[in-house]
Amino acid sequence: MSAAAPDQSPHGAHGHGAHGHGASGIDYGSYLRLPELLELQTLQSSPEHPDELLFIVVHQASELWFKVLRHEMDTMITALEAFDTMRALLAVQRVNVLTEIVAQQLTALDTLPPQRFAQFRGYLGSSSGSQSAQFRAIEATAGLRDPHFLAAITEHGEPPAVVKEALARPVLQSLVLALIEHEKMDLAELYMGPGPTPLFLLVEGLLEFEQRFARWRFLHVQLVERIIGPGTFGTGGTLGAKYLSRTVSHRFFPELWAVRSQFYGKAK
């Protein structure tokens, strides 16, 4: 989003909303709190390493997108609980776009050579991407419940509040199956119908979310291997790429995948 001149503001020449009720005295910088935002990139390296700013911004931006992603997943869950197929479909479409954005911004770190990362890696202390409470909450909200995941989030004590809240919710798969049942259908009938329906598109949208999320994981594995190598421990004492590669095959919607075998038969 580029800065707009005052007479090109999306809120009109005087910064008012569409109905003339905009807050007076609010401009682009104050609305977005840019002075505070741009002060949040505190480099730890000494002397300051020229690549550390990129490293910090990519991760801070990811956390901002995670915040929006969690918000949209909440919207999707509310719609599913209300059996509102169209609202859930619109929500999953946005969730998929946001997931792609998070994945693609990782490519900025492909420009970080391993020898340059090694020059400031020690200043990261015990920090690790695995400590992202928001990312763990997204995984839990989507439906991750396998023992390895549960062990990872409790490795250093009680999970953060946002993760515990996500774990207390029904998983997305159970919510969409309840919606299908509410519509007096089952998964196989949904795929054998005369044509794509909003409910069918919703189910396919959830599978697309899982695929995009898996691609994000895969890109992350490749990035880590490219910068620190496949056998190197990650920051914070994690297993690095070895751990990340295990997560690529995680499934959020096993029943939505399994229904396809009903059309072709399972492998012997």
Side-chain angles (χ1 to χ4, degrees), residues 18 28 32 38 53-54 63 123 137-138 145 151 153 164-165 182 199 221 252-253:
Y28 181 80
L32 297 177
L38 298 178
L53 179 62
L54 172 68
E63 291 293 333
Y123 292 96
I138 291 168
R145 294 291 188 278
I153 62 174
K164 292 171 71 173
E165 179 185 339
H182 178 265
L199 186 55
V221 171
F252 297 140
F253 311 112

Side-chain angles (χ1 to χ4, degrees), residues 68-121:
V68 183
L69 190 52
R70 286 176 52 230
H71 174 73
E72 296 301 334
M73 292 180 80
D74 287 345
T75 298
M76 182 166 58
I77 288 171
T78 300
L80 288 170
E81 290 176 334
F83 302 130
D84 188 338
T85 301
M86 285 304 299
R87 191 152 60 102
L89 175 57
L90 291 173
V92 78
Q93 289 173 341
R94 180 172 290 179
V95 162
N96 288 340
V97 170
L98 294 172
T99 305
E100 191 68 21
I101 290 172
V102 174
Q104 287 304 314
Q105 72 174 11
L106 279 178
T107 60
L109 291 178
D110 284 336
T111 64
L112 179 58
Q115 65 272 34
R116 292 177 68 89
F117 180 56
Q119 292 167 359
F120 69 88
R121 187 189 188 205

Side-chain angles (χ1 to χ4, degrees), residues 141-156:
T141 299
L144 207 54
R145 294 291 188 278
D146 71 277
H148 189 263
F149 170 72
L150 296 175
I153 62 174
T154 57
E155 183 179 2
H156 301 291

Side-chain angles (χ1 to χ4, degrees), residues 7-266:
D7 61 346
Q8 295 174 326
S9 166
H11 298 298
H14 301 291
H16 293 299
H19 302 290
H21 301 302
S24 62
I26 297 291
D27 62 14
Y28 181 80
S30 58
Y31 178 70
L32 297 177
R33 299 186 65 181
L34 290 182
E36 300 97 319
L37 179 63
L38 298 178
E39 287 295 321
L40 296 177
Q41 294 73 47
T42 305
L43 276 63
Q44 299 297 318
S45 54
S46 180
E48 292 186 354
H49 194 283
D51 290 340
E52 190 181 359
L53 179 62
L54 172 68
F55 188 83
I56 290 173
V57 168
V58 167
H59 287 86
Q60 285 184 340
S62 294
E63 291 293 333
L64 289 173
W65 285 119
F66 289 161
K67 182 175 183 177
V68 183
L69 190 52
R70 286 176 52 230
H71 174 73
E72 296 301 334
M73 292 180 80
D74 287 345
T75 298
M76 182 166 58
I77 288 171
T78 300
L80 288 170
E81 290 176 334
F83 302 130
D84 188 338
T85 301
M86 285 304 299
R87 191 152 60 102
L89 175 57
L90 291 173
V92 78
Q93 289 173 341
R94 180 172 290 179
V95 162
N96 288 340
V97 170
L98 294 172
T99 305
E100 191 68 21
I101 290 172
V102 174
Q104 287 304 314
Q105 72 174 11
L106 279 178
T107 60
L109 291 178
D110 284 336
T111 64
L112 179 58
Q115 65 272 34
R116 292 177 68 89
F117 180 56
Q119 292 167 359
F120 69 88
R121 187 189 188 205
Y123 292 96
L124 273 59
S126 62
S127 61
S128 166
S130 65
Q131 297 163 359
S132 171
Q134 289 200 109
F135 180 73
R136 293 303 195 187
I138 291 168
E139 290 181 305
T141 299
L144 207 54
R145 294 291 188 278
D146 71 277
H148 189 263
F149 170 72
L150 296 175
I153 62 174
T154 57
E155 183 179 2
H156 301 291
E158 281 289 305
V162 291
V163 180
K164 292 171 71 173
E165 179 185 339
L167 287 170
R169 287 172 161 174
V171 299
L172 285 177
Q173 178 173 265
S174 67
L175 291 173
V176 75
L177 291 177
L179 172 59
I180 293 170
E181 183 179 357
H182 178 265
E183 296 296 326
K184 297 180 171 52
M185 299 187 71
D186 61 36
L187 272 174
E189 291 173 331
L190 191 63
Y191 280 86
M192 291 188 295
T197 63
L199 186 55
F200 170 83
L201 294 175
L202 171 61
V203 170
E204 288 295 287
L206 288 170
L207 289 182
E208 183 178 343
F209 164 64
E210 183 168 304
Q211 286 182 302
R212 292 189 182 210
F213 201 86
R215 281 200 295 271
W216 181 91
R217 292 187 188 278
F218 180 69
L219 288 172
H220 196 188
V221 171
Q222 287 193 315
L223 173 66
V224 171
E225 290 185 339
R226 180 171 179 167
I227 295 178
I228 68 172
T232 307
F233 281 102
T235 53
T238 64
L239 293 177
K242 184 177 181 181
Y243 165 76
L244 292 170
S245 62
R246 294 176 184 171
T247 67
V248 174
S249 60
H250 284 163
R251 293 286 199 198
F252 297 140
F253 311 112
E255 292 193 43
L256 305 189
W257 290 105
V259 69
R260 285 152 168 74
S261 64
Q262 295 185 31
F263 299 99
Y264 304 104
K266 294 183 179 180

